[in-house]
Amino acid sequence: MRATRLTKDDWIFLFAVIVSSRILLFSLALLYAAGPSSGRTMSDILTTWDIGWYLELINSGYHAFPTRHVAGDAANWAFFPLFPLIAKTLSSVSGFGGLLSGYIVANVSFGIAIIILFKFCMLKFDEATSRFIVIAMSLAPFTLYYSVPYTESLYNLFLVATVYTAVSGRWLLAGIFAAALSATRNIGVMIVIPLLVIALQQFGWKQLCTIKPGTEKAVTALLLAPLGLFLYMLYLHMYVGDAFAFIHIQLAWDRIVGNPVTVFANAFLYGGNNAKYCAFVAFLCIITGSCLCIKRYYVEGLIMLIGIIVPLSTSASSLPRYGLTLFPFYIALGVLTKNNASARTPILIVCSALSGFFIASWISAKGYMT
Amino acid sequence: MTAFHRPIFFGLFAVLLSFYAGVFYLALTPDVSQTYRLYYIDKKLKYWNHGAELRYQAGSLVDFAHRVPYLSRQGWAQEESLGTWSIGKTSELYFDLERTQIPRQLEIKGYPHRAPSKGISTQVMKVFANNSLLGETVLDSTESIVIKCNIPDSIRIEKDNLFVLRFQFPDTVSSTSTASADSPEDRRFFFEHIIIH
């Protein structure tokens, strides 16, 4: 497939979607934060949950030794380096503080991701469906995670960039984005699987396995994908002596690798309300991924399934954030409403309403927003 | 893609694969402290304790009325004012002994949760050092007792100077029937102190 060229109208549309959705998000956040019921200072709100960890990473780098949490056994090794590195670079070059740099990186990543997502959708769908998909992602219930200093925004950017460049045959670029993806989050390395599916769709088993002429760039991309992860592992070995420290330190959060089915069942059957909610959303995402695969959107479906099942092997917590910020979820909404466009407006209204609810929940540091 | 480019790509493949293999080898051979390895990698240790070493000086008292850094992740309750209860069938302790320290005798003070009576079977405690059985004690009273086990010379200190004590509380069997102990609580042992001479 050839890369999509955008028209002037497309650029105006995309700019409007990106800017207006962020204005809406930050306006709602500021309004709620300024209210008497929020009970938290602006400083607390801006550094909610994991933002504190990323801010420390941006400002001070990785811990040499575990000292955090009450048990003193936590360190920031579980947080992958690319997002804080980019924010740190911006901070050094611009003079902005680490926190502001983090917010800028997240929001700029969101904007670029929306543009690339639109170009990707135009390869597969008509213009109306493509526009619906990007609007849905911009007004999504969890759209706030694209604008706070978490890795969701950067991860989603590299994810859609990898898939788009691979599908449009620009394999070397896809490999670079895939390497960046694996340096953004521990699950990023799993992009190898969807990339392999794209390569097989383009070249076939025989050509690819024997690296026939014409497949070199695709194979390079597949081999480049783990590079980000392995560079981080090398750094961890040299700095703390344990290349797998990013896995081992998960113990401090009681995350031990187990059977995703068992984890899901325990959360759904025996967990509290938060656990049940996380398990339900995980189930929804698995259904979404499965339906995408059934509809022959194999790459998108695999991204959803991997994006939920792998984290589910350790814990059900944070699964809504992991699953509902992946772009294939919104592609699934587009596929669902392809022959029923009248359903799109109600879906967007519901998304916006939920988005407002979750923004308020975030401001209030509700436990289900971790 | 010309014939000139293919060798460059294959060279790149070789470099990447070699790099990944090298890093993977480093990952399999971590250069960390014994405490880090036991806590994070093997997941055997209960407390991180700020990464403090598990060094033990022979003859010193391990008082279970305070937090004991040598406890295994499984098999121990929270410490109480006079000691610590074991939980379940197996409880372990990990010590870092200098190779110059050759352990000769183990002294354990404590008492079981239940004494045998009608319907309650006999409690047995097996003591192992580095997987070698030191002895088996029948716990037929809830009075505090001192158990002494000789440690034979054949028991070697493992690599990293690790000395592992394991206490097993196997399924008890009634002396008057073939029924086994009905509750895990019946298998608990209250450790007051340990000394390795």
Side-chain angles (χ1 to χ4, degrees):
Chain A
M1 287 188 192
R2 298 191 63 181
T4 314
R5 291 189 71 90
L6 300 180
T7 64
K8 185 179 164 190
D9 278 349
D10 291 333
W11 282 108
I12 292 170
F13 161 75
L14 290 169
F15 180 78
V17 166
I18 293 165
V19 172
S20 59
S21 68
R22 297 310 92 185
I23 289 173
L24 178 65
L25 165 70
F26 282 106
S27 302
L28 284 173
L30 283 168
L31 273 170
Y32 192 79
S37 59
S38 72
R40 302 175 72 214
T41 65
M42 188 54 70
S43 174
D44 291 337
I45 291 166
L46 290 173
T47 55
T48 300
W49 300 119
D50 288 349
I51 297 176
W53 287 98
Y54 284 112
L55 183 59
E56 190 184 9
L57 251 178
I58 292 167
N59 290 334
S60 312
Y62 283 101
H63 299 142
F65 199 74
T67 56
R68 297 292 197 271
H69 284 183
V70 172
D73 62 351
N76 56 8
W77 307 328
F79 299 91
F80 269 46
L82 192 57
F83 170 76
L85 200 58
I86 294 174
K88 173 73 179 178
T89 304
L90 174 64
S91 176
S92 301
V93 165
S94 64
F96 297 144
L99 188 62
L100 178 59
S101 299
Y103 273 95
I104 292 172
V105 170
N107 283 278
V108 169
S109 299
F110 166 74
I112 300 172
I114 287 292
I115 294 168
I116 298 176
L117 178 61
F118 183 75
K119 288 163 75 88
F120 176 65
C121 290
M122 289 293 279
L123 291 175
K124 300 192 167 211
F125 307 108
D126 55 68
E127 187 171 357
T129 303
S130 302
R131 288 190 171 207
F132 166 72
I133 289 169
V134 298
I135 294 173
M137 198 171 105
S138 302
L139 297 178
F142 275 26
T143 190
L144 74 100
Y145 285 113
Y146 298 133
S147 285
V148 295
Y150 269 44
T151 54
E152 268 68 16
S153 194
L154 193 68
Y155 183 79
N156 204 37
L157 164 62
F158 288 133
L159 191 60
V160 69
T162 303
V163 173
Y164 172 63
T165 46
V167 163
S168 53
R170 292 177 290 176
W171 282 100
L172 290 182
L173 208 49
I176 292 170
F177 287 133
L181 193 65
S182 70
T184 303
R185 207 190 273 179
N186 58 3
I187 198 178
V189 70
M190 304 296 282
I191 191 66
V192 167
I193 299 172
L195 269 183
L196 182 61
V197 170
I198 298 171
L200 288 172
Q201 286 173 338
Q202 287 186 13
F203 303 107
W205 276 109
K206 265 192 183 173
Q207 295 259 6
L208 202 60
C209 290
T210 53
I211 316 180
K212 286 276 189 280
T215 63
E216 298 89 346
K217 290 181 181 176
V219 175
T220 303
L222 290 167
L223 288 177
L224 274 175
L227 184 61
L229 168 65
F230 276 76
L231 283 171
Y232 182 45
M233 287 172 65
L234 179 64
Y235 168 79
L236 285 175
H237 179 84
M238 290 163 60
Y239 191 52
V240 301
D242 180 14
F244 282 137
F246 66 97
I247 296 174
H248 295 142
I249 202 65
Q250 299 274 357
L251 191 65
W253 283 267
D254 292 324
R255 285 179 175 260
I256 299 174
V257 178
N259 185 330
V261 176
T262 309
V263 173
F264 174 81
N266 286 339
F268 200 72
L269 296 173
Y270 309 114
N273 288 338
N274 273 3
K276 284 182 164 53
Y277 152 70
C278 291
F280 170 74
V281 175
F283 178 72
L284 179 69
C285 291
I286 290 171
I287 294 295
T288 303
S290 304
C291 289
L292 282 169
C293 288
I294 291 168
K295 291 276 190 184
R296 300 192 179 185
Y297 294 92
Y298 299 118
V299 173
E300 295 85 347
L302 273 174
I303 290 171
M304 277 306 298
L305 290 171
I306 292 168
I308 281 296
I309 292 172
V310 172
L312 190 57
S313 66
T314 59
S315 170
S317 70
S318 303
L319 284 178
R321 170 162 60 93
Y322 294 150
L324 298 181
T325 54
L326 295 174
F327 77 88
F329 186 82
Y330 305 98
I331 296 221
L333 288 180
V335 170
L336 190 70
T337 58
K338 219 162 57 161
N339 299 321
N340 188 13
S342 58
R344 289 176 175 172
T345 303
I347 286 174
L348 292 177
I349 292 170
V350 169
C351 280
S352 303
L354 285 173
S355 172
F357 169 75
F358 284 120
I359 290 167
S361 300
W362 170 268
I363 300 292
S364 306
K366 295 295 183 193
Y368 51 82
M369 294 302 291
T370 57
Chain B
M1 180 68 53
T2 66
F4 170 73
H5 291 112
R6 275 177 69 82
I8 296 175
F9 277 105
F10 281 106
L12 181 60
F13 300 162
V15 167
L16 285 171
L17 289 170
S18 302
F19 174 69
Y20 296 149
V23 173
F24 199 68
Y25 172 76
L26 291 175
L28 294 177
T29 54
D31 180 19
V32 295
S33 68
Q34 183 183 76
T35 306
Y36 182 101
R37 183 185 294 276
L38 283 171
Y39 187 81
Y40 287 106
I41 300 177
D42 298 336
K43 296 181 181 53
K44 286 183 175 177
L45 211 55
K46 188 178 179 75
Y47 300 118
W48 171 235
N49 202 30
H50 305 289
E53 290 180 347
L54 300 173
R55 191 63 55 84
Y56 173 79
Q57 185 61 42
S60 55
L61 187 83
V62 178
D63 183 2
F64 284 82
H66 304 288
R67 176 175 282 200
V68 172
Y70 313 111
L71 301 185
S72 57
R73 179 170 290 272
Q74 308 296 335
W76 298 99
Q78 196 68 24
E79 66 271 12
E80 297 178 10
S81 58
L82 295 174
T84 306
W85 285 105
S86 67
I87 297 176
K89 291 188 182 181
T90 305
S91 308
E92 290 185 329
L93 296 168
Y94 301 97
F95 300 95
D96 179 350
L97 293 182
E98 286 287 346
R99 287 197 181 273
T100 52
Q101 295 184 93
I102 300 168
R104 297 275 184 225
Q105 191 183 62
L106 172 66
E107 179 184 308
I108 306 158
K109 184 165 189 257
Y111 54 86
H113 183 252
R114 292 276 190 98
S117 62
K118 188 176 178 183
I120 302 295
S121 319
T122 307
Q123 172 78 62
V124 169
M125 180 168 76
K126 291 184 176 180
V127 183
F128 294 81
N130 288 358
N131 292 317
S132 297
L133 179 66
L134 295 185
E136 187 173 316
T137 305
V138 175
L139 305 167
D140 52 8
S141 164
T142 53
E143 296 292 320
S144 182
I145 57 170
V146 175
I147 301 166
K148 291 189 179 181
C149 305
N150 290 322
I151 302 172
D153 291 343
S154 58
I155 289 181
R156 295 174 173 279
I157 302 299
E158 297 193 350
K159 60 178 181 178
D160 296 335
N161 301 331
L162 197 61
F163 183 72
V164 182
L165 284 177
R166 188 166 74 248
F167 306 98
Q168 274 187 357
F169 306 97
D171 284 333
T172 56
V173 176
S174 166
S175 57
T176 57
S177 76
T178 55
S180 50
D182 52 11
S183 159
E185 280 219 349
D186 292 334
R187 284 195 281 268
R188 291 192 299 163
F189 187 84
F190 192 73
F191 286 80
E192 293 178 69
H193 76 242
I194 275 177
I195 304 173
I196 304 172
H197 299 281

